[in-house]
Amino acid sequence: MDHTTLSLKPRILYHVAKAAWEGTLFDRREEICTMVSEEFKDKHTRRQVANQIRIAMGLDPHDDELVLNDYDEEALMGMGNNSIVITNPDACQACAKEERKCEKSCPLQAITHDEFGKVSINQDKCLGEGHCIQACSFGALAEKSQFVPLINLLKQQSHPVYASIAPAFVGQFGSEVTPGKLRSALLKMGFADVLETALYADLITMKEAFEFDEHVKTDQDFMFTSCCCPVWIKLIENKFPDLMEHISPSVSPMIASARVLKQFEPDAKVVFIGPCIAKKSEAMLPDLVGAIDYVLTFQELATIFEATSIHPADQEDNEKAVASWGGRVYAYTGGVSAAVATTLEKMIPHKVQKLVSLKVDGIPDCQKLLEQIRNGQFTANFIEGMACKGGCVGGPGRLLPPEEGREHVKKYGANALANTPVENPQVYSILARLGHESGVPSLSGKSPMAELLSRRLI
């Protein structure tokens, strides 16, 4: 990669990741700031560069040309509890009102400008999906990164650290990077092992099949799914609270992967890697906190690979595939519905005929559908919502166009050894390790297994 061609943000991410990996970040932070400031002095001030470095380190911007204050080091020890998508007003170029791409990119009107044209985010309206970040070429909108404390954790080797990698990962790091090569690259980076998040989507698929059987009894009953999309869930919570009782109580596959693993290894740390910026906020929600320790986007992981000189394409093909087709297709719109339908057919055949699914993606279309449902205009009883067009493969932290990502996932799903979770021996292996050796336990209601895979939304 020719770093001279990179824009400010990826340039800074690269230097921060490299210095963190080498253990010199605190000593070299001002040197990095000076170097990058000189490189971009025709476009950015030193304070703008310092603030971009702070954001890359997981900190809020401040009004100073120095990167860190005396009290900042403590804040770098782990994930905070504040907003992930933030503004850096000093970088805002005060675009003409009719040219404000950031405002136009937000379907909830969470982005506004003051009388001087400087940008701000109404965090009560913001859903945190992060597509607005790509709309601003100046860096006035950004998401905080969490890789500095993660890299420190990997280097310290004080805990086993596992990577839970989202189903959308296939093909993201190059057509020559197989799942097995990516796994080897992550092991080389210091991870104890790699979890295929899609395996835990298998568990959630089975749970949602049970939930559908339990909750959809009449023509007036319906159920919202896509627990995997935190923005969809937050949209219902924020704007349609009267519909919340219809949300599946299942955790996302991301949370399920960490909760299950920590049943076996309480001392373990789990890092989710995917295309979704909103997953960083989901990991910090009060009823979910403590499961996932850090979140990386595919873009951030690619930067870390570059900074550490780990090239996935050159690694050994050491695959450990464990998920079914049903778990893998969670990555694109309609995948969750299809997975639950095929699983319901295997587990509760008489109920599958009653399942009428409807899928929707993109926040504007999600809002429109929810308005229709609120007004009683619906024919489906199993409703899948995804905030990003195309589903998770369309997330703002992706490396590939959504259509290309979808095709990679479809091929990977077709190569799965099992079609549904019901036919996946790896699912039963997990259940047996959790004490359920005689088959599938109840995954709805108040059973211990159901509680492990549930969250409390109301």
Side-chain angles (χ1 to χ4, degrees):
M1 182 182 293
D2 181 4
H3 293 290
T4 62
T5 66
L6 293 178
S7 62
L8 179 64
K9 178 182 173 181
R11 182 76 161 134
I12 284 174
L13 288 175
Y14 169 81
H15 280 296
V16 170
K18 185 174 177 63
W21 185 258
E22 294 171 349
T24 61
L25 178 58
F26 283 97
D27 293 335
R28 295 190 57 231
R29 62 185 186 269
E30 303 302 338
E31 175 191 336
I32 293 170
C33 188
T34 299
M35 176 178 62
V36 178
S37 296
E38 284 296 313
E39 185 177 347
F40 289 88
K41 62 184 177 183
D42 58 328
K43 296 181 181 179
H44 299 279
T45 67
R46 181 184 170 91
R47 185 167 63 184
Q48 290 170 11
V49 173
N51 278 330
Q52 287 292 337
I53 293 174
R54 287 177 62 82
I55 293 167
M57 297 171 73
L59 299 170
D60 287 316
H62 66 181
D63 188 16
D64 201 317
E65 291 190 355
L66 294 177
V67 175
L68 294 186
N69 292 321
D70 293 338
Y71 54 81
D72 284 325
E73 186 169 344
E74 184 177 347
L76 292 169
M77 295 302 102
M79 294 196 301
N81 56 3
N82 48 4
S83 302
I84 293 295
V85 179
I86 58 172
T87 60
N88 182 11
D90 189 52
C92 185
Q93 300 297 300
C95 300
K97 189 171 183 179
E98 63 275 10
E99 297 176 357
R100 291 172 182 168
K101 295 180 181 179
C102 56
E103 285 190 9
K104 296 175 183 177
S105 71
C106 181
L108 295 169
Q109 293 79 50
I111 299 173
T112 56
H113 291 75
D114 63 19
E115 64 271 26
F116 304 106
K118 297 299 184 181
V119 67
S120 64
I121 298 176
N122 183 330
Q123 295 294 346
D124 291 331
K125 292 183 177 180
C126 178
L127 298 179
E129 87 282 2
H131 284 288
C132 58
I133 294 168
Q134 279 70 41
C136 178
S137 58
F138 306 114
L141 297 169
E143 86 275 12
K144 292 181 184 176
S145 295
Q146 298 170 350
F147 61 70
V148 171
L150 167 60
I151 288 174
N152 291 339
L153 185 65
L154 290 171
K155 299 292 285 185
Q156 291 166 3
Q157 297 183 333
S158 57
H159 299 264
V161 184
Y162 290 81
S164 178
I165 191 156
F169 78 92
V170 195
Q172 292 286 329
F173 298 89
S175 57
E176 72 281 13
V177 180
T178 64
K181 289 185 176 184
L182 182 59
R183 178 171 180 263
S184 293
L186 289 165
L187 293 177
K188 188 171 184 178
M189 190 180 289
F191 286 95
D193 207 346
V194 178
L195 311 176
E196 190 178 1
T197 315
L199 173 61
Y200 303 89
D202 278 345
L203 280 171
I204 297 301
T205 300
M206 296 175 80
K207 184 179 191 310
E208 295 212 325
F210 277 112
E211 296 287 353
F212 180 82
D213 182 48
E214 181 174 314
H215 294 291
V216 179
K217 302 291 188 184
T218 73
D219 292 342
Q220 300 303 309
D221 296 328
F222 62 93
M223 174 177 158
F224 291 126
T225 185
S226 259
C227 53
C228 53
C229 181
V231 179
W232 165 248
I233 300 299
K234 190 173 180 180
L235 176 63
I236 299 173
E237 287 180 312
N238 285 5
K239 299 199 70 175
F240 302 88
D242 50 308
L243 298 178
M244 282 183 60
E245 63 181 306
H246 299 285
I247 299 176
S248 165
S250 304
V251 296
S252 66
M254 173 186 83
I255 298 296
S257 68
R259 283 189 178 176
V260 170
L261 177 71
K262 289 182 178 183
Q263 291 289 304
F264 308 139
E265 292 189 56
D267 194 42
K269 303 292 183 182
V270 183
V271 180
F272 180 74
I273 303 169
C276 180
I277 289 173
K279 287 292 184 181
K280 296 183 182 185
S281 298
E282 179 189 355
M284 297 187 292
L285 291 173
D287 63 321
L288 303 177
V289 70
I292 291 293
D293 296 281
Y294 300 107
V295 175
L296 293 179
T297 64
F298 292 148
Q299 292 172 3
E300 290 172 326
L301 179 60
T303 299
I304 296 174
F305 279 146
E306 189 69 22
T308 57
S309 297
I310 296 174
H311 306 294
D314 299 334
Q315 305 304 310
E316 179 184 357
D317 196 339
N318 185 14
E319 188 168 357
K320 190 179 179 181
V322 290
S324 76
W325 167 86
R328 291 176 178 178
V329 299
Y330 265 57
Y332 55 76
T333 304
V336 179
S337 302
V340 172
T342 55
T343 300
L344 200 61
E345 185 175 12
K346 294 288 184 181
M347 294 176 61
I348 315 170
H350 71 277
K351 201 62 179 281
V352 72
Q353 296 178 359
K354 297 182 179 180
L355 186 144
V356 181
S357 64
L358 177 65
K359 58 184 182 292
V360 62
D361 58 13
I363 292 176
D365 289 342
C366 286
Q367 286 194 99
K368 182 178 178 180
L369 176 63
L370 289 167
E371 289 284 4
Q372 292 171 344
I373 292 171
R374 173 182 274 169
N375 295 329
Q377 303 169 349
F378 64 94
T379 56
N381 56 24
F382 192 77
I383 299 145
E384 173 189 337
M386 299 285 240
C388 297
K389 295 300 289 185
C392 299
V393 293
R398 68 184 187 275
L399 294 167
L400 290 178
E403 300 79 11
E404 192 175 340
R406 177 188 172 97
E407 288 306 308
H408 281 289
V409 172
K410 286 178 69 176
K411 291 177 182 177
Y412 189 53
N415 291 329
L417 297 178
N419 189 49
T420 71
V422 182
E423 301 156 306
N424 186 356
Q426 298 296 332
V427 168
Y428 297 99
S429 175
I430 288 176
L431 292 173
R433 290 184 67 188
L434 290 169
H436 305 286
E437 298 182 1
S438 58
V440 181
S442 173
L443 295 176
S444 62
K446 299 294 184 181
S447 72
M449 194 67 202
E451 290 287 315
L452 182 66
L453 301 178
S454 293
R455 61 176 303 189
R456 291 173 176 81
L457 287 161
I458 301 176

